[in-house]
Amino acid sequence: MIRTLSALCKNEPGVLGQMALECGKYNANILSLAAGETENPEISRIVLCVDGDDAAIDEVEKYLESLDAIIQIDDLSRKDFVDRELVMVKVSMDRANTGQLMQIFEVFRANVVGMGQETVTVELSGDQERVDGLIKILAPYGIKSMCRSGMIALKRGDE
């Protein structure tokens, strides 16, 4: 089962490594990981999308809660949350498909960020379904390279 964990932690060396190591110990596969400072530069938020057995992920969560560097951990999978991901895709482009690609970019509201003689690079921010949809539509045109940021997420509402 895929779970999304959000941890507020002290912004100090080694915390991210400890979290990743613990996931590995319990055979929980990290599908995506995003980390960055919060509104307080002394605190970071780490969002982990983890695939594995529920019991194993529960054990990971318990261990993480026990770390001194962890201030708070939430399993967002059990709450209402909003998520976003950034993707950059470099796709093959020629005179025959330029118009079609531009229409796809417009429909998805993807921004062209670079062009070469034979490729175009676009960026898109959205939920995972939107990002996956763009990738699926662009695949037949020939994706040359791609980079995904991993999911970032926050609980909805005032909590």
Side-chain angles (χ1 to χ4, degrees):
M1 177 169 186
I2 296 174
R3 304 249 299 268
T4 302
L5 305 177
S6 175
L8 288 176
C9 58
K10 295 175 185 171
N11 191 2
E12 57 187 41
V15 177
L16 189 60
Q18 280 183 300
M19 293 176 81
L21 195 61
E22 196 61 22
C23 288
K25 282 183 190 175
Y26 287 97
N27 246 3
N29 184 34
I30 298 173
L31 300 175
S32 97
L33 186 149
E37 289 182 353
T38 64
E39 65 282 358
N40 179 346
E42 294 178 6
I43 298 174
S44 289
R45 180 179 304 276
I46 299 173
V47 178
L48 286 165
C49 292
V50 185
D51 187 15
D53 178 79
D54 273 342
I57 297 172
D58 288 342
E59 288 299 315
V60 169
E61 190 175 352
K62 280 184 208 170
Y63 172 78
L64 295 177
E65 285 174 338
S66 74
L67 294 175
D68 288 337
I70 302 294
I71 298 164
Q72 177 185 344
I73 189 158
D74 282 311
D75 184 346
L76 296 180
S77 311
R78 299 176 183 180
K79 300 181 180 184
D80 192 19
F81 68 97
V82 61
D83 64 283
R84 291 292 179 267
E85 183 176 5
L86 173 68
V87 66
M88 290 177 44
V89 183
K90 184 182 290 188
V91 64
S92 296
M93 182 183 68
D94 58 34
R95 287 184 181 183
N97 69 15
T98 301
Q100 293 169 326
L101 286 170
M102 293 305 164
Q103 284 180 328
I104 291 168
F105 302 156
E106 187 175 326
V107 166
F108 278 87
R109 287 177 275 145
N111 299 312
V112 174
V113 294
M115 289 186 94
Q117 296 289 330
E118 300 172 355
T119 61
V120 60
T121 303
V122 295
E123 68 176 2
L124 173 74
S125 170
D127 60 24
Q128 189 173 9
E129 291 80 22
R130 186 169 169 215
V131 170
D132 288 343
L134 177 67
I135 293 165
K136 184 177 179 181
I137 294 233
L138 292 179
Y141 292 92
I143 294 175
K144 295 295 186 185
S145 60
M146 181 175 74
C147 183
R148 293 176 82 155
S149 65
M151 181 195 303
I152 57 171
L154 289 174
K155 290 182 280 186
R156 285 191 190 272
D158 297 331
E159 204 178 329

